[in-house]
Amino acid sequence: MAAKRKSSVAPYVALVVALIIFVPPLREAVGDLLAPLLDLLPWRA
């Protein structure tokens, strides 16, 4: 019987997180996109 491959999203998530951490222009772009969302959170008074 052939082994079934389990596809996982984890490697792709790790790649995106690594790119955001290590590529400064990408980090700034993500920060600009997430800033309005973070301002909506109640703990950021």
Side-chain angles (χ1 to χ4, degrees), residues 4-15:
K4 289 186 179 181
R5 259 193 171 169
K6 290 186 178 181
S7 61
S8 177
V9 181
Y12 300 109
V13 172
L15 177 63

Side-chain angles (χ1 to χ4, degrees), residues 23-44:
V23 180
L26 188 59
R27 186 184 328 147
E28 291 176 8
V30 170
D32 290 342
L33 289 174
L34 292 180
L37 295 176
L38 292 176
D39 289 339
L40 296 175
L41 295 176
W43 54 268
R44 264 186 88 123

